[in-house]
Amino acid sequence: MAPSADSDRPIGILFICLGNICRSPMAEAVFSHIVAARGLASKFHIDSAGTARYHIGEQPDGRTISTCNKHGVAVDHFGQLLVSRHFAEFDYILCMDEDNLRDCKHVKPKGQSRAKHGMFGEYSEDKGDRVVTDPYYGGLKDFELMYERIVRCSEGLLKQLLQVEKTRLEGTGK
């Protein structure tokens, strides 16, 4: 991961899944919670989107909200679609699975793009976390497992960003 440009602008992180109601809004909420707990909220612009139009304008799945609330993590999101402008707006576009990554590459505009895109799970120290599986057809247990995986990935992402984006994060005391 190479550092992004514009040292005075918040670091833009966009999480991607299929419908933007389970995995990516949970990742948005958890990562936001973690950076706020570290006193870094003002240094980040965090959001999420989906690669399909199924749930545009809808709140996240109730199981996503209840799982986050159980852990003291607030969820404030309405579904949106990944669009080409996101590649200019965000520094990092992080996908939950290979299908999301493939779809993301199809949306990416031709030529230069500010955003680096890849798999969110690659930031976890647990190599079994590379894919954040979709719990939509499962139960609360699956959402809890997803939450635990997203926490590991979020902690790994922040650890990496603290090294790579050090200049943009200076002055935070972290």
Side-chain angles (χ1 to χ4, degrees), residues 64-94:
T64 292
I65 295 170
S66 66
T67 301
C68 285
N69 288 341
K70 173 184 166 187
H71 294 281
V73 175
V75 179
D76 182 22
H77 182 78
F78 289 92
Q80 66 174 324
L81 185 66
L82 173 67
V83 293
S84 60
R85 74 170 164 74
H86 287 134
F87 288 85
E89 184 179 342
F90 291 92
D91 299 294
Y92 301 94
I93 297 180
L94 302 174

PDB file of all heavy atoms in Angstrom, residues 64-94:
ATOM      1  N   THR A  64     -27.457  -6.697  10.922  1.00  0.00           N
ATOM      2  CA  THR A  64     -26.228  -5.896  10.948  1.00  0.00           C
ATOM      3  C   THR A  64     -26.330  -4.849  12.053  1.00  0.00           C
ATOM      4  O   THR A  64     -25.411  -4.688  12.862  1.00  0.00           O
ATOM      5  CB  THR A  64     -25.998  -5.211   9.580  1.00  0.00           C
ATOM      6  OG1 THR A  64     -25.702  -6.208   8.602  1.00  0.00           O
ATOM      7  CG2 THR A  64     -24.861  -4.199   9.635  1.00  0.00           C
ATOM      8  N   ILE A  65     -27.451  -4.164  12.088  1.00  0.00           N
ATOM      9  CA  ILE A  65     -27.660  -3.117  13.099  1.00  0.00           C
ATOM     10  C   ILE A  65     -27.639  -3.706  14.506  1.00  0.00           C
ATOM     11  O   ILE A  65     -26.961  -3.188  15.394  1.00  0.00           O
ATOM     12  CB  ILE A  65     -28.979  -2.364  12.824  1.00  0.00           C
ATOM     13  CG1 ILE A  65     -28.876  -1.607  11.495  1.00  0.00           C
ATOM     14  CG2 ILE A  65     -29.309  -1.417  13.978  1.00  0.00           C
ATOM     15  CD1 ILE A  65     -30.195  -1.027  11.005  1.00  0.00           C
ATOM     16  N   SER A  66     -28.361  -4.813  14.714  1.00  0.00           N
ATOM     17  CA  SER A  66     -28.418  -5.383  16.071  1.00  0.00           C
ATOM     18  C   SER A  66     -27.069  -5.937  16.514  1.00  0.00           C
ATOM     19  O   SER A  66     -26.699  -5.798  17.684  1.00  0.00           O
ATOM     20  CB  SER A  66     -29.516  -6.449  16.178  1.00  0.00           C
ATOM     21  OG  SER A  66     -29.227  -7.563  15.381  1.00  0.00           O
ATOM     22  N   THR A  67     -26.318  -6.524  15.604  1.00  0.00           N
ATOM     23  CA  THR A  67     -24.989  -7.040  15.958  1.00  0.00           C
ATOM     24  C   THR A  67     -24.062  -5.883  16.338  1.00  0.00           C
ATOM     25  O   THR A  67     -23.360  -5.956  17.353  1.00  0.00           O
ATOM     26  CB  THR A  67     -24.385  -7.865  14.806  1.00  0.00           C
ATOM     27  OG1 THR A  67     -25.265  -8.951  14.507  1.00  0.00           O
ATOM     28  CG2 THR A  67     -23.010  -8.405  15.169  1.00  0.00           C
ATOM     29  N   CYS A  68     -24.073  -4.829  15.552  1.00  0.00           N
ATOM     30  CA  CYS A  68     -23.231  -3.668  15.871  1.00  0.00           C
ATOM     31  C   CYS A  68     -23.660  -3.045  17.196  1.00  0.00           C
ATOM     32  O   CYS A  68     -22.809  -2.746  18.043  1.00  0.00           O
ATOM     33  CB  CYS A  68     -23.292  -2.645  14.740  1.00  0.00           C
ATOM     34  SG  CYS A  68     -22.346  -3.119  13.288  1.00  0.00           S
ATOM     35  N   ASN A  69     -24.963  -2.847  17.376  1.00  0.00           N
ATOM     36  CA  ASN A  69     -25.463  -2.248  18.615  1.00  0.00           C
ATOM     37  C   ASN A  69     -25.063  -3.071  19.835  1.00  0.00           C
ATOM     38  O   ASN A  69     -24.728  -2.514  20.884  1.00  0.00           O
ATOM     39  CB  ASN A  69     -26.975  -2.072  18.562  1.00  0.00           C
ATOM     40  CG  ASN A  69     -27.393  -0.958  17.617  1.00  0.00           C
ATOM     41  OD1 ASN A  69     -26.603  -0.091  17.253  1.00  0.00           O
ATOM     42  ND2 ASN A  69     -28.649  -0.986  17.204  1.00  0.00           N
ATOM     43  N   LYS A  70     -25.081  -4.384  19.693  1.00  0.00           N
ATOM     44  CA  LYS A  70     -24.683  -5.281  20.785  1.00  0.00           C
ATOM     45  C   LYS A  70     -23.259  -4.987  21.253  1.00  0.00           C
ATOM     46  O   LYS A  70     -22.934  -5.144  22.428  1.00  0.00           O
ATOM     47  CB  LYS A  70     -24.805  -6.731  20.300  1.00  0.00           C
ATOM     48  CG  LYS A  70     -24.274  -7.775  21.247  1.00  0.00           C
ATOM     49  CD  LYS A  70     -24.375  -9.153  20.611  1.00  0.00           C
ATOM     50  CE  LYS A  70     -23.566 -10.160  21.374  1.00  0.00           C
ATOM     51  NZ  LYS A  70     -23.524 -11.459  20.675  1.00  0.00           N
ATOM     52  N   HIS A  71     -22.419  -4.528  20.332  1.00  0.00           N
ATOM     53  CA  HIS A  71     -21.010  -4.238  20.637  1.00  0.00           C
ATOM     54  C   HIS A  71     -20.756  -2.741  20.831  1.00  0.00           C
ATOM     55  O   HIS A  71     -19.596  -2.307  20.857  1.00  0.00           O
ATOM     56  CB  HIS A  71     -20.119  -4.788  19.523  1.00  0.00           C
ATOM     57  CG  HIS A  71     -20.134  -6.282  19.436  1.00  0.00           C
ATOM     58  ND1 HIS A  71     -19.407  -7.072  20.295  1.00  0.00           N
ATOM     59  CD2 HIS A  71     -20.828  -7.122  18.630  1.00  0.00           C
ATOM     60  CE1 HIS A  71     -19.623  -8.348  19.998  1.00  0.00           C
ATOM     61  NE2 HIS A  71     -20.490  -8.406  18.999  1.00  0.00           N
ATOM     62  N   GLY A  72     -21.828  -1.961  20.942  1.00  0.00           N
ATOM     63  CA  GLY A  72     -21.666  -0.529  21.165  1.00  0.00           C
ATOM     64  C   GLY A  72     -21.230   0.252  19.947  1.00  0.00           C
ATOM     65  O   GLY A  72     -20.685   1.357  20.068  1.00  0.00           O
ATOM     66  N   VAL A  73     -21.475  -0.296  18.766  1.00  0.00           N
ATOM     67  CA  VAL A  73     -21.076   0.348  17.512  1.00  0.00           C
ATOM     68  C   VAL A  73     -22.324   0.913  16.834  1.00  0.00           C
ATOM     69  O   VAL A  73     -23.258   0.174  16.526  1.00  0.00           O
ATOM     70  CB  VAL A  73     -20.366  -0.661  16.574  1.00  0.00           C
ATOM     71  CG1 VAL A  73     -20.064  -0.027  15.227  1.00  0.00           C
ATOM     72  CG2 VAL A  73     -19.095  -1.193  17.228  1.00  0.00           C
ATOM     73  N   ALA A  74     -22.325   2.214  16.608  1.00  0.00           N
ATOM     74  CA  ALA A  74     -23.460   2.875  15.958  1.00  0.00           C
ATOM     75  C   ALA A  74     -23.421   2.650  14.447  1.00  0.00           C
ATOM     76  O   ALA A  74     -22.344   2.644  13.845  1.00  0.00           O
ATOM     77  CB  ALA A  74     -23.430   4.367  16.257  1.00  0.00           C
ATOM     78  N   VAL A  75     -24.588   2.468  13.854  1.00  0.00           N
ATOM     79  CA  VAL A  75     -24.714   2.310  12.404  1.00  0.00           C
ATOM     80  C   VAL A  75     -25.598   3.441  11.889  1.00  0.00           C
ATOM     81  O   VAL A  75     -26.728   3.600  12.339  1.00  0.00           O
ATOM     82  CB  VAL A  75     -25.350   0.949  12.041  1.00  0.00           C
ATOM     83  CG1 VAL A  75     -25.489   0.807  10.536  1.00  0.00           C
ATOM     84  CG2 VAL A  75     -24.546  -0.197  12.624  1.00  0.00           C
ATOM     85  N   ASP A  76     -25.066   4.219  10.960  1.00  0.00           N
ATOM     86  CA  ASP A  76     -25.815   5.330  10.370  1.00  0.00           C
ATOM     87  C   ASP A  76     -25.529   5.336   8.878  1.00  0.00           C
ATOM     88  O   ASP A  76     -24.573   5.978   8.417  1.00  0.00           O
ATOM     89  CB  ASP A  76     -25.393   6.653  11.025  1.00  0.00           C
ATOM     90  CG  ASP A  76     -26.174   7.837  10.481  1.00  0.00           C
ATOM     91  OD1 ASP A  76     -27.281   7.635   9.935  1.00  0.00           O
ATOM     92  OD2 ASP A  76     -25.667   8.970  10.589  1.00  0.00           O
ATOM     93  N   HIS A  77     -26.315   4.602   8.119  1.00  0.00           N
ATOM     94  CA  HIS A  77     -26.033   4.458   6.690  1.00  0.00           C
ATOM     95  C   HIS A  77     -27.310   4.133   5.928  1.00  0.00           C
ATOM     96  O   HIS A  77     -28.213   3.483   6.459  1.00  0.00           O
ATOM     97  CB  HIS A  77     -25.009   3.329   6.480  1.00  0.00           C
ATOM     98  CG  HIS A  77     -24.632   3.158   5.046  1.00  0.00           C
ATOM     99  ND1 HIS A  77     -23.747   3.990   4.413  1.00  0.00           N
ATOM    100  CD2 HIS A  77     -25.045   2.274   4.112  1.00  0.00           C
ATOM    101  CE1 HIS A  77     -23.621   3.612   3.147  1.00  0.00           C
ATOM    102  NE2 HIS A  77     -24.401   2.575   2.944  1.00  0.00           N
ATOM    103  N   PHE A  78     -27.361   4.578   4.689  1.00  0.00           N
ATOM    104  CA  PHE A  78     -28.409   4.196   3.753  1.00  0.00           C
ATOM    105  C   PHE A  78     -27.721   3.699   2.492  1.00  0.00           C
ATOM    106  O   PHE A  78     -26.747   4.307   2.034  1.00  0.00           O
ATOM    107  CB  PHE A  78     -29.335   5.381   3.449  1.00  0.00           C
ATOM    108  CG  PHE A  78     -30.207   5.741   4.620  1.00  0.00           C
ATOM    109  CD1 PHE A  78     -29.798   6.687   5.543  1.00  0.00           C
ATOM    110  CD2 PHE A  78     -31.421   5.096   4.815  1.00  0.00           C
ATOM    111  CE1 PHE A  78     -30.580   7.005   6.637  1.00  0.00           C
ATOM    112  CE2 PHE A  78     -32.218   5.407   5.909  1.00  0.00           C
ATOM    113  CZ  PHE A  78     -31.805   6.357   6.828  1.00  0.00           C
ATOM    114  N   GLY A  79     -28.211   2.590   1.953  1.00  0.00           N
ATOM    115  CA  GLY A  79     -27.566   1.935   0.821  1.00  0.00           C
ATOM    116  C   GLY A  79     -27.344   2.849  -0.368  1.00  0.00           C
ATOM    117  O   GLY A  79     -28.191   3.676  -0.713  1.00  0.00           O
ATOM    118  N   GLN A  80     -26.189   2.683  -0.982  1.00  0.00           N
ATOM    119  CA  GLN A  80     -25.855   3.419  -2.202  1.00  0.00           C
ATOM    120  C   GLN A  80     -25.071   2.510  -3.138  1.00  0.00           C
ATOM    121  O   GLN A  80     -24.494   1.507  -2.725  1.00  0.00           O
ATOM    122  CB  GLN A  80     -25.067   4.693  -1.878  1.00  0.00           C
ATOM    123  CG  GLN A  80     -23.683   4.435  -1.292  1.00  0.00           C
ATOM    124  CD  GLN A  80     -22.881   5.697  -1.123  1.00  0.00           C
ATOM    125  OE1 GLN A  80     -22.954   6.617  -1.942  1.00  0.00           O
ATOM    126  NE2 GLN A  80     -22.083   5.762  -0.059  1.00  0.00           N
ATOM    127  N   LEU A  81     -25.045   2.889  -4.384  1.00  0.00           N
ATOM    128  CA  LEU A  81     -24.374   2.126  -5.426  1.00  0.00           C
ATOM    129  C   LEU A  81     -22.969   2.667  -5.660  1.00  0.00           C
ATOM    130  O   LEU A  81     -22.762   3.894  -5.682  1.00  0.00           O
ATOM    131  CB  LEU A  81     -25.191   2.230  -6.722  1.00  0.00           C
ATOM    132  CG  LEU A  81     -24.728   1.401  -7.918  1.00  0.00           C
ATOM    133  CD1 LEU A  81     -24.869  -0.096  -7.627  1.00  0.00           C
ATOM    134  CD2 LEU A  81     -25.560   1.765  -9.148  1.00  0.00           C
ATOM    135  N   LEU A  82     -22.004   1.775  -5.841  1.00  0.00           N
ATOM    136  CA  LEU A  82     -20.655   2.164  -6.242  1.00  0.00           C
ATOM    137  C   LEU A  82     -20.735   2.781  -7.638  1.00  0.00           C
ATOM    138  O   LEU A  82     -21.305   2.191  -8.554  1.00  0.00           O
ATOM    139  CB  LEU A  82     -19.728   0.944  -6.265  1.00  0.00           C
ATOM    140  CG  LEU A  82     -18.323   1.159  -6.826  1.00  0.00           C
ATOM    141  CD1 LEU A  82     -17.511   2.072  -5.914  1.00  0.00           C
ATOM    142  CD2 LEU A  82     -17.624  -0.175  -7.013  1.00  0.00           C
ATOM    143  N   VAL A  83     -20.170   3.984  -7.774  1.00  0.00           N
ATOM    144  CA  VAL A  83     -20.161   4.671  -9.067  1.00  0.00           C
ATOM    145  C   VAL A  83     -18.748   5.172  -9.358  1.00  0.00           C
ATOM    146  O   VAL A  83     -17.899   5.250  -8.460  1.00  0.00           O
ATOM    147  CB  VAL A  83     -21.180   5.844  -9.099  1.00  0.00           C
ATOM    148  CG1 VAL A  83     -22.612   5.317  -9.027  1.00  0.00           C
ATOM    149  CG2 VAL A  83     -20.921   6.831  -7.988  1.00  0.00           C
ATOM    150  N   SER A  84     -18.510   5.553 -10.605  1.00  0.00           N
ATOM    151  CA  SER A  84     -17.155   5.914 -11.025  1.00  0.00           C
ATOM    152  C   SER A  84     -16.579   7.092 -10.236  1.00  0.00           C
ATOM    153  O   SER A  84     -15.377   7.130  -9.986  1.00  0.00           O
ATOM    154  CB  SER A  84     -17.119   6.206 -12.520  1.00  0.00           C
ATOM    155  OG  SER A  84     -17.977   7.273 -12.847  1.00  0.00           O
ATOM    156  N   ARG A  85     -17.397   8.052  -9.800  1.00  0.00           N
ATOM    157  CA  ARG A  85     -16.865   9.201  -9.054  1.00  0.00           C
ATOM    158  C   ARG A  85     -16.212   8.786  -7.738  1.00  0.00           C
ATOM    159  O   ARG A  85     -15.354   9.504  -7.216  1.00  0.00           O
ATOM    160  CB  ARG A  85     -17.935  10.255  -8.811  1.00  0.00           C
ATOM    161  CG  ARG A  85     -18.945   9.893  -7.770  1.00  0.00           C
ATOM    162  CD  ARG A  85     -19.861  11.068  -7.390  1.00  0.00           C
ATOM    163  NE  ARG A  85     -21.027  10.607  -6.692  1.00  0.00           N
ATOM    164  CZ  ARG A  85     -21.036  10.175  -5.436  1.00  0.00           C
ATOM    165  NH1 ARG A  85     -19.916  10.152  -4.729  1.00  0.00           N
ATOM    166  NH2 ARG A  85     -22.152   9.752  -4.867  1.00  0.00           N
ATOM    167  N   HIS A  86     -16.600   7.622  -7.193  1.00  0.00           N
ATOM    168  CA  HIS A  86     -15.993   7.157  -5.947  1.00  0.00           C
ATOM    169  C   HIS A  86     -14.481   6.944  -6.100  1.00  0.00           C
ATOM    170  O   HIS A  86     -13.738   7.063  -5.127  1.00  0.00           O
ATOM    171  CB  HIS A  86     -16.648   5.858  -5.469  1.00  0.00           C
ATOM    172  CG  HIS A  86     -18.021   6.064  -4.909  1.00  0.00           C
ATOM    173  ND1 HIS A  86     -19.084   5.270  -5.246  1.00  0.00           N
ATOM    174  CD2 HIS A  86     -18.497   6.977  -4.034  1.00  0.00           C
ATOM    175  CE1 HIS A  86     -20.164   5.676  -4.599  1.00  0.00           C
ATOM    176  NE2 HIS A  86     -19.830   6.716  -3.856  1.00  0.00           N
ATOM    177  N   PHE A  87     -14.040   6.647  -7.307  1.00  0.00           N
ATOM    178  CA  PHE A  87     -12.615   6.407  -7.538  1.00  0.00           C
ATOM    179  C   PHE A  87     -11.801   7.693  -7.478  1.00  0.00           C
ATOM    180  O   PHE A  87     -10.584   7.657  -7.332  1.00  0.00           O
ATOM    181  CB  PHE A  87     -12.401   5.673  -8.858  1.00  0.00           C
ATOM    182  CG  PHE A  87     -12.828   4.238  -8.797  1.00  0.00           C
ATOM    183  CD1 PHE A  87     -14.167   3.897  -9.015  1.00  0.00           C
ATOM    184  CD2 PHE A  87     -11.929   3.247  -8.473  1.00  0.00           C
ATOM    185  CE1 PHE A  87     -14.573   2.581  -8.932  1.00  0.00           C
ATOM    186  CE2 PHE A  87     -12.338   1.931  -8.376  1.00  0.00           C
ATOM    187  CZ  PHE A  87     -13.661   1.598  -8.608  1.00  0.00           C
ATOM    188  N   ALA A  88     -12.459   8.838  -7.573  1.00  0.00           N
ATOM    189  CA  ALA A  88     -11.792  10.133  -7.404  1.00  0.00           C
ATOM    190  C   ALA A  88     -11.982  10.663  -5.983  1.00  0.00           C
ATOM    191  O   ALA A  88     -11.165  11.430  -5.483  1.00  0.00           O
ATOM    192  CB  ALA A  88     -12.345  11.140  -8.412  1.00  0.00           C
ATOM    193  N   GLU A  89     -13.050  10.239  -5.329  1.00  0.00           N
ATOM    194  CA  GLU A  89     -13.402  10.744  -4.004  1.00  0.00           C
ATOM    195  C   GLU A  89     -12.658  10.025  -2.869  1.00  0.00           C
ATOM    196  O   GLU A  89     -12.379  10.624  -1.835  1.00  0.00           O
ATOM    197  CB  GLU A  89     -14.906  10.575  -3.802  1.00  0.00           C
ATOM    198  CG  GLU A  89     -15.440  11.131  -2.519  1.00  0.00           C
ATOM    199  CD  GLU A  89     -16.949  10.949  -2.379  1.00  0.00           C
ATOM    200  OE1 GLU A  89     -17.644  10.703  -3.382  1.00  0.00           O
ATOM    201  OE2 GLU A  89     -17.424  11.030  -1.236  1.00  0.00           O
ATOM    202  N   PHE A  90     -12.338   8.741  -3.062  1.00  0.00           N
ATOM    203  CA  PHE A  90     -11.745   7.935  -1.993  1.00  0.00           C
ATOM    204  C   PHE A  90     -10.320   7.520  -2.341  1.00  0.00           C
ATOM    205  O   PHE A  90      -9.968   7.374  -3.502  1.00  0.00           O
ATOM    206  CB  PHE A  90     -12.604   6.689  -1.727  1.00  0.00           C
ATOM    207  CG  PHE A  90     -13.925   7.031  -1.107  1.00  0.00           C
ATOM    208  CD1 PHE A  90     -15.036   7.256  -1.901  1.00  0.00           C
ATOM    209  CD2 PHE A  90     -14.052   7.166   0.270  1.00  0.00           C
ATOM    210  CE1 PHE A  90     -16.256   7.609  -1.339  1.00  0.00           C
ATOM    211  CE2 PHE A  90     -15.258   7.511   0.844  1.00  0.00           C
ATOM    212  CZ  PHE A  90     -16.370   7.732   0.037  1.00  0.00           C
ATOM    213  N   ASP A  91      -9.530   7.308  -1.287  1.00  0.00           N
ATOM    214  CA  ASP A  91      -8.152   6.842  -1.463  1.00  0.00           C
ATOM    215  C   ASP A  91      -8.077   5.322  -1.538  1.00  0.00           C
ATOM    216  O   ASP A  91      -7.223   4.767  -2.234  1.00  0.00           O
ATOM    217  CB  ASP A  91      -7.287   7.320  -0.283  1.00  0.00           C
ATOM    218  CG  ASP A  91      -7.255   8.827  -0.202  1.00  0.00           C
ATOM    219  OD1 ASP A  91      -6.706   9.446  -1.134  1.00  0.00           O
ATOM    220  OD2 ASP A  91      -7.800   9.387   0.768  1.00  0.00           O
ATOM    221  N   TYR A  92      -8.964   4.647  -0.787  1.00  0.00           N
ATOM    222  CA  TYR A  92      -8.959   3.186  -0.706  1.00  0.00           C
ATOM    223  C   TYR A  92     -10.384   2.678  -0.883  1.00  0.00           C
ATOM    224  O   TYR A  92     -11.294   3.125  -0.180  1.00  0.00           O
ATOM    225  CB  TYR A  92      -8.420   2.710   0.646  1.00  0.00           C
ATOM    226  CG  TYR A  92      -7.016   3.195   0.922  1.00  0.00           C
ATOM    227  CD1 TYR A  92      -6.794   4.360   1.655  1.00  0.00           C
ATOM    228  CD2 TYR A  92      -5.906   2.498   0.438  1.00  0.00           C
ATOM    229  CE1 TYR A  92      -5.516   4.823   1.901  1.00  0.00           C
ATOM    230  CE2 TYR A  92      -4.623   2.955   0.684  1.00  0.00           C
ATOM    231  CZ  TYR A  92      -4.437   4.118   1.413  1.00  0.00           C
ATOM    232  OH  TYR A  92      -3.159   4.572   1.649  1.00  0.00           O
ATOM    233  N   ILE A  93     -10.570   1.767  -1.820  1.00  0.00           N
ATOM    234  CA  ILE A  93     -11.855   1.100  -2.029  1.00  0.00           C
ATOM    235  C   ILE A  93     -11.613  -0.368  -1.727  1.00  0.00           C
ATOM    236  O   ILE A  93     -10.841  -1.038  -2.423  1.00  0.00           O
ATOM    237  CB  ILE A  93     -12.389   1.331  -3.453  1.00  0.00           C
ATOM    238  CG1 ILE A  93     -12.655   2.830  -3.657  1.00  0.00           C
ATOM    239  CG2 ILE A  93     -13.642   0.497  -3.700  1.00  0.00           C
ATOM    240  CD1 ILE A  93     -13.190   3.207  -5.026  1.00  0.00           C
ATOM    241  N   LEU A  94     -12.261  -0.843  -0.650  1.00  0.00           N
ATOM    242  CA  LEU A  94     -11.959  -2.173  -0.121  1.00  0.00           C
ATOM    243  C   LEU A  94     -13.167  -3.092  -0.236  1.00  0.00           C
ATOM    244  O   LEU A  94     -14.236  -2.811   0.314  1.00  0.00           O
ATOM    245  CB  LEU A  94     -11.495  -2.039   1.331  1.00  0.00           C
ATOM    246  CG  LEU A  94     -10.274  -1.132   1.499  1.00  0.00           C
ATOM    247  CD1 LEU A  94      -9.948  -0.924   2.958  1.00  0.00           C
ATOM    248  CD2 LEU A  94      -9.080  -1.698   0.745  1.00  0.00           C
TER     249      LEU A  94
END
